[in-house]
Amino acid sequence: MLKLEDINFSYEKQKILHKINFHLKENEFIGIIGPNGSGKSTLLKNISKLLSPDSGYIYLDKGLLNEYSYKELARKMAVVPQDTEINFNFSVYDLVMMGRNPYQDRWGRVTETDKNKVEEALELTDTKKFKDKSIQKLSGGERQRVIIARAIVQEPELLLLDEPTASLDINYQRNIFDLISDLNDELEMSVLAVSHDLNLISQYCERLILLSNGNIHTMGKVEEVITKENISEVYNTEVDIKYNPMTERPYVIIVPRKKNSQKRRENNFKVHLICGGGTGKDIMNILNDLNIKVSCGVLNRGDSDWEEAKRLNYEVVEIPPFAPIDENAVEKNKKRIGNSDLIIVSNTPFGWGNIDNIEVLTSLEKKDILFMTKQDVKVRDFTEGKTTELFEKIKKNNNVHEINNNKELCSFINNNYKEILYD
Amino acid sequence: METKFSYFYTTMIIIAVLILVGIISLSFGSVNLSPFQVLKIIFSNNNINESLNIIIKQIRLPRIILSFLVGSGLSMAGVVFQGVIRNPMVDPYIVGISAGAGTGVTLAIVLNLQFSFLFFNTLPLMAFIGSLITVYIVYNLAKTKNKVPVVTFLLAGVAVGFVLNALMSFLMVIGTRDLQKIIYWLLGSLAAASWHDIKLMLPYFILGNFIIIFFLKDLNLILLGETHAQHLGVNVEKSKKYLIIGASLITASVVSVSGSIGFIGLIVPHIARLLVGPDHKKLYPTAAILGGIFLIISDDLARIVLSPMEIPVGIITALTGGPYFIYLLRKTKKEIW
């Protein structure tokens, strides 16, 4: 669809783009990211023929970009620019109709096809309700949708977007990107979008190009590009990478300088976590962020907590799916518990199948134990009161703290183990 | 569009107003006639009164037709310049194009270059060359990094206008034998309007219009911004070039017969935009008719105010246009500075 070969570009002797090479396949969705001044917008302007490269070739389909007339180009490629503010009082309908310009003759006669295409685009972008309104009276998000509608009626094969959600609220951000994603899926448009919002674009595109000082730093699948090393290096800032379990895409979080100055230290602090059924996931992530070694058990294979623990490379005492805890597992678990500095019991229900995970704690003395008690243990006790009894016994012999939520958990650990965890 | 009336009714109404204003204007002057008498004289061949026939057909009618052409020409040029520069503060007078055309005409008179070839007279041709050179200079002076900011465009226009006015004065001084002719022309008056003037300017006027109408659709897209226009398939540089040439042709044709009459090209497009919105397919003809009406009325006032003495019509348009320009400046101050 679009192929760039050795594109170089400079503004008055200052080199902006160096040897850019990439290939956008048909129906692909590529995102371009990079810090301010890395050349993202300049690259897009070269592709949309607003600027022409000093050297190198840009191919659109089989032809060279330069050989397309403006009109031919407008039928193949539509651009949604960064600045969509319009200072003249055109109605939404008229503005969208302007997208039919490349199909109209000199005198701008409007055909039935033109009208139908405009109606379709208004519906697709949900802008029909204000088609007679002046474009100046719309909000930023509404205006952006109108501009996208105008791009749709151009019936392009390739859609270029320059920061399509800059300065929009998150509801509009999602709305716009969902729409772009639909155009990519349903109308089979190829999409090339520039965005400085790493997290937003990473949730939608198939491949990413990371630009740094006019060079392609990394190009590839989202998870290959959004890595701690790449982002920290290119953006020159400390970040952490998390995974969005719903889209299975990575996202970047910023580590504020204040927290950053309290450097997390390599430590030997060990926590054993008793959990199950997904009640331990958040706890694992918090502990992971604090660089704490964690063991879990006993967990059934396939349990969502087991999956998360495996993903984080934790030691897990495991048993087959749906099997009750056996002697062997109890012994192993006991060993892990004995080695740990802190034991956390998640807000999981207890039945005859997993009561051994609690029973094992009754033999302990003067250990630090945290009970996550978002729900009272009586509610979670499916062993006719036995679990509640065991809880009382454990409380008598050990330093037990009851914790209500994740925030309390964070502050408890930060307050009590500060010396061990931080420099 | 959020205008109060539909385009069709608006057009019908202003055409009716034009006809009415035309007939009324024909009926008064040194000899006052009723509108019915006027109509009778125009539409009958065997006339009752030979002198009345001459007053109406040879003096008043060409003057009113020329007023209409000049008024509409300046308004059309104003619409085009405002669209290309994307700012409502521009008109051929303010950006020095009228002065450029004037210099061309002065040069033609001083150098005695006035002759005709087919339908094309050299006087408007020199005006056209003068205005084109001026536009080129002003545009390039104002251009900074591929953009033409309004402030620099206005400043460049005013500066170049000054230089050209000085040049005109200089030409008048050295060409003393033509002084009266030039000054008379410069005052911006329609008092000497004749059928000859109309013949002189019409070919350029029509040619300019042809060019503009051919590129009128692009003007709507350019209004959105040049990058928008290009993305929608417009060859922006080419369209802009031809639009400016067309507007300069019209300006030149008008200036060569009427001298420089200011501010019409500023006010009229604005009023027309309020009536029919920014779509040039509607705006252009509406501004043309409104401009014609505006100048016919202004010329009537020029005849009446100090009657029997006439004042140059440029004074009337400047008196109404100047304050309007100041109002626009204040209104858009924030956006400009």
Side-chain angles (χ1 to χ4, degrees):
Chain A
M1 180 82 242
L2 177 77
K3 196 174 171 191
L4 273 73
E5 273 181 19
D6 290 334
I7 295 301
N8 287 298
F9 180 84
S10 39
Y11 268 127
E12 290 163 9
K13 287 180 189 167
Q14 198 195 342
K15 269 214 153 192
I16 310 284
L17 299 173
H18 308 263
K19 282 209 163 191
I20 303 289
N21 284 288
F22 72 86
H23 187 182
L24 174 89
K25 294 187 203 89
E26 247 148 72
N27 202 17
E28 204 180 8
F29 187 162
I30 292 187
I32 302 177
I33 54 171
N36 295 338
S38 58
K40 301 181 299 257
S41 289
T42 309
L43 178 58
L44 214 59
K45 281 179 185 158
N46 272 277
I47 296 168
S48 64
K49 214 181 159 186
L50 281 181
L51 298 171
S52 37
D54 301 341
S55 62
Y57 299 98
I58 301 175
Y59 296 95
L60 185 63
D61 268 352
K62 279 165 193 113
L64 273 170
L65 183 73
N66 268 332
E67 286 163 3
Y68 285 89
S69 76
Y70 288 107
K71 205 166 175 172
E72 285 168 344
L73 196 61
R75 293 181 192 175
K76 267 206 149 346
M77 177 199 284
V79 184
V80 176
Q82 191 170 358
D83 173 25
T84 57
E85 188 133 4
I86 284 157
N87 291 324
F88 290 86
N89 200 18
F90 286 107
S91 74
V92 168
Y93 186 88
D94 288 348
L95 198 75
V96 176
M97 186 57 90
M98 288 183 194
R100 293 301 294 171
N101 182 59
Y103 296 92
Q104 289 169 341
D105 62 11
R106 252 294 132 217
W107 317 110
R109 272 187 287 258
V110 174
T111 63
E112 278 305 308
T113 325
D114 292 339
K115 284 183 193 162
N116 293 338
K117 295 283 173 195
V118 170
E119 287 293 327
E120 277 171 31
L122 288 171
E123 239 157 78
L124 205 62
T125 52
D126 197 20
T127 48
K128 204 173 180 177
K129 51 184 174 276
F130 33 72
K131 70 173 186 180
D132 293 321
K133 257 191 169 183
S134 161
I135 186 75
Q136 289 176 308
K137 298 205 171 128
L138 302 188
S139 71
E142 290 167 340
R143 197 173 56 221
Q144 196 63 277
R145 291 217 304 272
V146 172
I147 299 297
I148 291 176
R150 195 186 68 186
I152 294 171
V153 300
Q154 284 179 254
E155 300 179 82
E157 291 161 39
L158 173 62
L159 186 62
L160 301 183
L161 304 119
D162 190 1
E163 304 277 8
T165 56
S167 74
L168 295 186
D169 293 340
I170 52 165
N171 57 333
Y172 282 125
Q173 290 181 2
R174 199 189 91 161
N175 190 302
I176 297 287
F177 266 98
D178 281 349
L179 178 60
I180 295 166
S181 188
D182 286 347
L183 297 179
N184 181 234
D185 292 341
E186 284 156 31
L187 300 184
E188 297 188 347
M189 285 184 202
S190 313
V191 179
L192 188 64
V194 161
S195 177
H196 68 247
D197 194 332
L198 305 178
N199 292 332
L200 191 61
I201 191 105
S202 306
Q203 307 307 310
Y204 287 93
C205 67
E206 289 157 55
R207 282 201 294 156
L208 270 179
I209 295 173
L210 174 59
L211 284 182
S212 170
N213 291 323
N215 294 293
I216 293 185
H217 180 279
T218 327
M219 174 164 56
K221 287 189 184 141
V222 175
E223 57 273 21
E224 291 164 7
V225 177
I226 303 281
T227 65
K228 203 168 165 174
E229 295 73 32
N230 285 341
I231 302 300
S232 300
E233 187 187 327
V234 172
Y235 287 82
N236 195 21
T237 186
E238 192 174 334
V239 294
D240 257 341
I241 306 294
K242 302 273 165 189
Y243 268 80
N244 180 347
M246 300 237 281
T247 57
E248 295 173 17
R249 299 290 178 96
Y251 62 93
V252 180
I253 57 167
I254 298 167
V255 182
R257 187 163 47 88
K258 213 166 139 193
K259 292 278 160 59
N260 195 13
S261 66
Q262 275 188 336
K263 279 248 159 142
R264 289 170 303 183
R265 136 198 301 198
E266 288 296 309
N267 61 67
N268 274 322
F269 191 70
K270 284 183 202 130
V271 169
H272 184 81
L273 177 63
I274 293 167
C275 55
T279 55
K281 270 187 177 178
D282 288 348
I283 302 170
M284 288 183 217
N285 276 301
I286 290 166
L287 298 175
N288 187 50
D289 289 346
L290 294 168
N291 246 358
I292 295 171
K293 284 194 187 71
V294 181
S295 56
C296 298
V298 179
L299 284 172
N300 293 88
R301 275 197 290 276
D303 183 291
S304 56
D305 279 344
W306 175 84
E307 279 179 3
E308 187 71 0
K310 282 288 174 190
R311 192 180 71 75
L312 295 168
N313 282 328
Y314 288 163
E315 288 179 51
V316 185
V317 181
E318 58 185 43
I319 48 173
F322 303 109
I325 299 170
D326 55 41
E327 287 285 321
N328 188 16
V330 171
E331 277 312 307
K332 275 190 189 166
N333 213 22
K334 212 173 199 171
K335 215 172 152 191
R336 300 262 179 276
I337 290 167
N339 283 336
S340 55
D341 305 294
L342 175 70
I343 296 135
I344 301 176
V345 181
S346 80
N347 187 47
T348 188
F350 288 94
W352 296 115
N354 65 347
I355 193 165
D356 289 349
N357 275 343
I358 281 296
E359 189 135 39
V360 76
L361 300 179
T362 52
S363 59
L364 298 175
E365 272 181 23
K366 294 190 176 163
K367 270 270 187 191
D368 287 339
I369 300 176
L370 298 186
F371 283 157
M372 301 300 287
T373 49
K374 192 177 162 198
Q375 287 171 306
D376 194 76
V377 66
K378 283 178 192 140
V379 184
R380 295 182 276 128
D381 182 352
F382 298 95
T383 52
E384 294 154 13
K386 177 116 195 271
T387 307
T388 317
E389 251 173 57
L390 294 175
F391 262 67
E392 289 308 318
K393 197 174 171 193
I394 297 164
K395 275 189 201 169
K396 236 180 244 169
N397 299 330
N398 298 280
N399 303 325
V400 172
H401 300 270
E402 297 195 6
I403 303 283
N404 276 313
N405 53 41
N406 294 336
K407 190 169 178 281
E408 275 183 40
L409 177 67
C410 292
S411 33
F412 179 85
I413 294 175
N414 275 329
N415 291 337
N416 290 283
Y417 306 105
K418 210 173 187 169
E419 288 79 32
I420 305 168
L421 298 175
Y422 299 107
D423 276 338
Chain B
M1 193 77 279
E2 294 179 54
T3 42
K4 280 177 192 156
F5 309 104
S6 80
Y7 175 57
F8 179 76
Y9 287 117
T10 312
T11 313
M12 287 300 121
I13 290 167
I14 59 173
I15 288 176
V17 171
L18 172 67
I19 293 169
L20 205 67
V21 167
I23 293 169
I24 292 169
S25 303
L26 279 171
S27 63
F28 63 81
S30 51
V31 181
N32 280 321
L33 298 163
S34 77
F36 298 106
Q37 283 173 298
V38 169
L39 287 174
K40 213 188 250 169
I41 293 166
I42 290 176
F43 291 109
S44 65
N45 282 326
N46 48 337
N47 272 303
I48 322 114
N49 187 329
E50 187 59 27
S51 62
L52 279 185
N53 199 29
I54 289 175
I55 289 176
I56 297 295
K57 285 190 177 169
Q58 297 303 320
I59 298 174
R60 291 192 193 165
L61 194 58
R63 180 167 184 167
I64 282 162
I65 290 175
L66 197 69
S67 298
F68 176 80
L69 289 174
V70 169
S72 63
L74 290 172
S75 305
M76 291 188 283
V79 166
V80 173
F81 281 119
Q82 289 178 8
V84 170
I85 308 298
R86 294 202 293 133
N87 193 280
M89 306 281 293
V90 182
D91 94 329
Y93 186 74
I94 291 166
V95 295
I97 291 148
S98 298
T103 312
V105 173
T106 313
L107 211 58
I109 295 173
V110 172
L111 299 176
N112 216 357
L113 283 175
Q114 200 177 351
F115 55 88
S116 279
F117 179 72
L118 294 173
F119 299 107
F120 294 89
N121 188 286
T122 47
L123 209 61
L125 181 67
M126 286 296 282
F128 172 58
I129 294 171
S131 59
L132 217 53
I133 293 173
T134 314
V135 171
Y136 183 80
I137 294 172
V138 171
Y139 193 82
N140 281 295
L141 276 179
K143 197 168 169 179
T144 43
K145 281 187 188 169
N146 291 321
K147 274 188 180 167
V148 182
V150 188
V151 181
T152 54
F153 194 78
L154 288 177
L155 287 177
V158 171
V160 171
F162 267 128
V163 174
L164 290 171
N165 281 318
L167 192 64
M168 269 191 274
S169 306
F170 176 71
L171 287 172
M172 280 191 274
V173 174
I174 56 166
T176 37
R177 71 193 151 83
D178 302 307
L179 192 59
Q180 222 177 355
K181 212 169 160 186
I182 299 170
I183 289 180
Y184 187 73
W185 172 83
L186 270 182
L187 279 173
S189 165
L190 294 160
S194 66
W195 289 111
H196 173 73
D197 287 332
I198 294 173
K199 263 190 257 169
L200 196 77
M201 59 96 72
L202 213 50
Y204 294 88
F205 188 86
I206 293 170
L207 185 65
N209 262 301
F210 262 122
I211 296 174
I212 290 172
I213 290 168
F214 197 72
F215 288 96
L216 205 54
K217 187 183 65 149
D218 295 349
L219 202 50
N220 278 344
L221 297 155
I222 291 173
L223 215 52
L224 302 182
E226 292 184 11
T227 53
H228 281 262
Q230 191 179 317
H231 292 148
L232 294 170
V234 177
N235 187 339
V236 176
E237 285 309 313
K238 183 180 151 199
S239 296
K240 263 167 60 183
K241 198 166 76 192
Y242 280 104
L243 284 164
I244 288 175
I245 288 175
S248 300
L249 267 172
I250 293 179
T251 309
S253 74
V254 165
V255 169
S256 63
V257 292
S258 71
S260 42
I261 296 172
F263 295 108
I264 290 194
L266 179 83
I267 309 170
V268 174
H270 237 258
I271 297 169
R273 213 171 275 125
L274 291 177
L275 282 176
V276 297
D279 179 356
H280 283 89
K281 277 179 274 176
K282 298 173 184 171
L283 180 62
Y284 191 70
T286 307
I289 302 171
L290 280 182
I293 297 172
F294 186 86
L295 197 63
I296 293 173
I297 295 174
S298 299
D299 191 46
D300 288 344
L301 289 174
R303 287 194 284 160
I304 297 166
V305 174
L306 293 180
S307 175
M309 207 180 88
E310 276 197 24
I311 54 170
V313 68
I315 293 177
I316 305 281
T317 58
L319 278 177
T320 45
Y324 194 72
F325 182 68
I326 294 165
Y327 159 75
L328 275 184
L329 248 182
R330 286 201 64 84
K331 207 179 99 185
T332 50
K333 212 172 176 179
K334 276 180 223 149
E335 291 151 38
I336 287 182
W337 297 108

